[in-house]
C-alpha cells in the first residue's frame, strides 16, 4: 500500500479509511495545485522538495465503526523523554520575544518537539483508537506515506469544511488549561486574559481579510469558549459562500498557515520561524484531511500531533507569543498541549 489514511470526524462513531493501491501519492509545491483535485491531503507547515504537499488518491474508501478497529493492547506504558529541550526552548523564546519587543511582529508562534520512547512499540492503529476514545470532540487522523512517515493527529481546528457553494472555517486561538471543578464543564465560566483575547482577534481579522478576496457573502459568529481535551480555546466561526469550488486551492494558499500557527505579519513571521526554530516542524502545523470540493471537504490544521517511528514518538506543540508573554507561562502551555498525545501513549482502552 503506497498511501494510507484513516480519520474520524468530531463526535462521530465511525471512521473513514482512504487507501491508494499503487504508485506514490501525488506531490505538490503549492496549495494552488490542489485546484480541481480530490483525495486525502497531507500538507506541511513549510513546503519543500523533501516535504511536499501530498495527495493520497482515494482508490479504496471504507467506513468502519471505531469500536470495531482491532486493538493490540498490552500492559499500559508511559513514554520517557529522550532529550531535554528546555534549553533550546529558552534560546528560541528569547530570540522570538525580542522581535515582539522591538515591534517587528505583532504575534509569532513558537513551537517545539519532544522526542519520547516506550519500552515496546505501540501499534499506530491502537494509538488512533485510543485518541478517538479520549477526544470525542476532536478530528482524529492517522496517516502513513513513504514521504511523510506515520503521523497521528488530534486537532480541534478546522481549516476548511464544506462543499459546492457552502463553506466554513474558524479562528481558534488563546489557550487555558482546565483544572479542578472546571473539568466538569466546558470552560464557559472562565475569564479570559487580555493576551488571549487579543491573540484570537488577530487570527479572526486575518481570516476575514482572506475571505474578502474570494467572496462578499460571509458571516462571523463569536468568539466563544470551546473545550479540547483538558484545554479551552477562543473560537469564532466563519460561514461563507463561493461562486464555484474550482478555486479551493487558491483559498487554501491564502489561509495556510494562519496566524494561529504562524504569526503577523504572516510572510515575515513565517520566514523567521523557518530560519530560527531549533526543530523543523515538518507536517506539524500544516493541515490534513479529505478534499472533495463537489461533495464534502474536511481539512483540519495539524495540531496536537506526533510522528511515530517504531517505539519513538516525536511530539509537537506550540503557542502564540505576544509582547506580554513570559517564557514559563508559554512553556507550561506547550506542556499541556503535549499531554494530548502523551495520554494516547499511556492510556489503555478497557
Amino acid at each position: 500500500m503506497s498511501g494510507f489514511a484513516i480519520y474520524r470526524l468530531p463526535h462521530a462513531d465511525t471512521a473513514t479509511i482512504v487507501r491508494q493501491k499503487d504508485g506514490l501519492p501525488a506531490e505538490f509545491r503549492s496549495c494552488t495545485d490542489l485546484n480541481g483535485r480530490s483525495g486525502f491531503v497531507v500538507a506541511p507547515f513549510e513546503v519543500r522538495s523533501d516535504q511536499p504537499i501530498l495527495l493520497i488518491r482515494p482508490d479504496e474508501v471504507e467506513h468502519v465503526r471505531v469500536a470495531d478497529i482491532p486493538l493490540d493492547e498490552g500492559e499500559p506504558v508511559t513514554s520517557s523523554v529522550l532529550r531535554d529541550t528546555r534549553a533550546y526552548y529558552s534560546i528560541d523564546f528569547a530570540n522570538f520575544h525580542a522581535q515582539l519587543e522591538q515591534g517587528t511582529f505583532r504575534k509569532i508562534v513558537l513551537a517545539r518537539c519532544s522526542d519520547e520512547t516506550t519500552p515496546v512499540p505501540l501499534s499506530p492503529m491502537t494509538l488512533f483508537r485510543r485518541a478517538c476514545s479520549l477526544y470525542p470532540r476532536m478530528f482524529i487522523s492517522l496517516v502513513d506515506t513513504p514521504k511523510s512517515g506515520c503521523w497521528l493527529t488530534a486537532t480541534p481546528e478546522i481549516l476548511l469544511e464544506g462543499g459546492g457553494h457552502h463553506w466554513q472555517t474558524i479562528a481558534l486561538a488563546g489557550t487555558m488549561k482546565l483544572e479542578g471543578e472546571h473539568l466538569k464543564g466546558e470552560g464557559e465560566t472562565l475569564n479570559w486574559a487580555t493576551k488571549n483575547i487579543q491573540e484570537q482577534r488577530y487570527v479572526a481579522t486575518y481570516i476575514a481579510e482572506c475571505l474578502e478576496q474570494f467572496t462578499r457573502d460571509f458571516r462571523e459568529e463569536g468568539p466563544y469558549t470551546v473545550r479540547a481535551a483538558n484545554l479551552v480555546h477562543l473560537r469564532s466561526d466563519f460561514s461563507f459562500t463561493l461562486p464555484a469550488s474550482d478555486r479551493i486551492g487558491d483559498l487554501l494558499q491564502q489561509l495556510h498557515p494562519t496566524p494561529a500557527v504562524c504569526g503577523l505579519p504572516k510572510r515575515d513571521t513565517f520566514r523567521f520561524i523557518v530560519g530560527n526554530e531549533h526543530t523543523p516542524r515538518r507536517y506539524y502545523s500544516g493541515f490534513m484531511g479529505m478534499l472533495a470540493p463537489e461533495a464534502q471537504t474536511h481539512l483540519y490544521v495539524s495540531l496536537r500531533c506526533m510522528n511515530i517511528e517504531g517505539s519513538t514518538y516525536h511530539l509537537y506543540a506550540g503557542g502564540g507569543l505576544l509582547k506580554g508573554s513570559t517564557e514559563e507561562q508559554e512553556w507550561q502551555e506547550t506542556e499541556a498541549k503535549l499531554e494530548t498525545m502523551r495520554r494516547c501513549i499511556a492510556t489503555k482502552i478497557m
Side-chain angles (χ1 to χ4, degrees), residues 1 21 98 111 151 192 198 217 229 231 239-240 248 269 308 310-311 320:
M1 196 69 64
K21 293 194 294 186
W151 289 77
W192 287 93
Q198 184 180 19
D217 182 17
L231 303 175
S239 55
F240 57 99
I248 292 303
T269 52
I308 304 167
S311 60

Side-chain angles (χ1 to χ4, degrees), residues 3 24 37-38 71 74 80 87 99 115 120 129 162 176 178 186 188 190 215 221 226 232 239 251 268 281 298 320:
L24 295 173
R37 301 182 186 274
S38 298
L71 288 171
S80 56
Q99 306 304 311
D115 297 331
V120 295
R129 185 163 163 197
M176 282 198 292
L178 290 178
E186 300 297 312
E188 63 276 5
L190 292 172
T215 180
E221 296 181 356
V226 292
V232 288
S239 55
L251 177 55
D268 294 338
R281 297 188 182 188
H298 301 282

Side-chain angles (χ1 to χ4, degrees), residues 34 36-39 162-165 167 245-246 248 291-297:
L34 296 173
R37 301 182 186 274
S38 298
H165 298 296
W167 297 85
S245 59
D246 57 357
I248 292 303
L291 174 66
E294 296 302 324
Q296 197 66 25
T297 290

Side-chain angles (χ1 to χ4, degrees), residues 294-325:
E294 296 302 324
Q296 197 66 25
T297 290
H298 301 282
L299 298 175
Y300 281 71
V301 181
S302 303
L303 305 177
R304 321 289 197 275
C305 65
M306 64 178 166
N307 176 214
I308 304 167
E309 293 184 328
S311 60
T312 299
Y313 312 88
H314 308 287
L315 283 61
Y316 292 82
L321 309 187
L322 299 180
K323 187 175 180 180
S325 299

Side-chain angles (χ1 to χ4, degrees), residues 232-250:
V232 288
H233 308 284
L234 282 171
R235 168 175 167 168
S236 294
D237 295 338
F238 291 84
S239 55
F240 57 99
T241 61
L242 295 176
S245 59
D246 57 357
R247 293 184 60 201
I248 292 303
D250 295 344

Side-chain angles (χ1 to χ4, degrees), residues 141-299:
S141 63
L142 176 70
V143 176
D144 196 356
T145 75
K147 198 81 172 188
S148 65
C150 185
W151 289 77
L152 176 69
T153 300
T155 176
E157 185 170 354
I158 299 168
L159 181 64
L160 187 64
E161 279 195 326
H165 298 296
H166 303 285
W167 297 85
Q168 64 172 317
T169 185
I170 69 171
L172 190 76
T175 302
M176 282 198 292
K177 185 176 181 180
L178 290 178
E179 297 177 312
E181 289 297 312
H182 290 299
L183 287 167
K184 297 178 181 178
E186 300 297 312
E188 63 276 5
T189 61
L190 292 172
N191 294 317
W192 287 93
T194 302
K195 182 259 186 187
N196 286 302
I197 296 171
Q198 184 180 19
E199 182 183 351
Q200 198 275 340
R201 191 67 244 158
Y202 283 154
V203 179
T205 300
Y206 173 82
I207 289 176
E209 291 172 350
C210 286
L211 294 180
E212 286 173 349
Q213 301 176 47
F214 294 86
T215 180
R216 294 183 179 180
D217 182 17
F218 72 89
R219 184 177 69 229
E220 177 185 355
E221 296 181 356
Y224 58 96
T225 301
V226 292
R227 181 172 177 174
N230 292 338
L231 303 175
V232 288
H233 308 284
L234 282 171
R235 168 175 167 168
S236 294
D237 295 338
F238 291 84
S239 55
F240 57 99
T241 61
L242 295 176
S245 59
D246 57 357
R247 293 184 60 201
I248 292 303
D250 295 344
L251 177 55
L252 290 171
Q253 184 71 17
Q254 289 296 317
L255 288 174
H256 173 69
T258 73
V261 296
C262 188
L264 288 168
K266 175 179 171 177
R267 291 183 180 178
D268 294 338
T269 52
F270 176 83
R271 286 194 291 265
F272 190 87
I273 289 167
V274 169
N276 291 276
E277 271 185 351
H278 266 89
T279 304
R281 297 188 182 188
R282 302 173 66 201
Y283 287 88
Y284 163 69
S285 67
F287 65 91
M288 64 177 64
M290 198 67 191
L291 174 66
E294 296 302 324
Q296 197 66 25
T297 290
H298 301 282
L299 298 175

Side-chain angles (χ1 to χ4, degrees), residues 11 62 65-66 83 87 131 176 209 276 283 303 306 320-321 327 342 347:
H11 304 292
E62 179 184 0
R65 291 180 68 246
V66 172
R83 63 190 178 101
M176 282 198 292
E209 291 172 350
N276 291 276
Y283 287 88
L303 305 177
M306 64 178 166
L321 309 187
E327 180 185 334
R342 285 177 178 147
T347 303

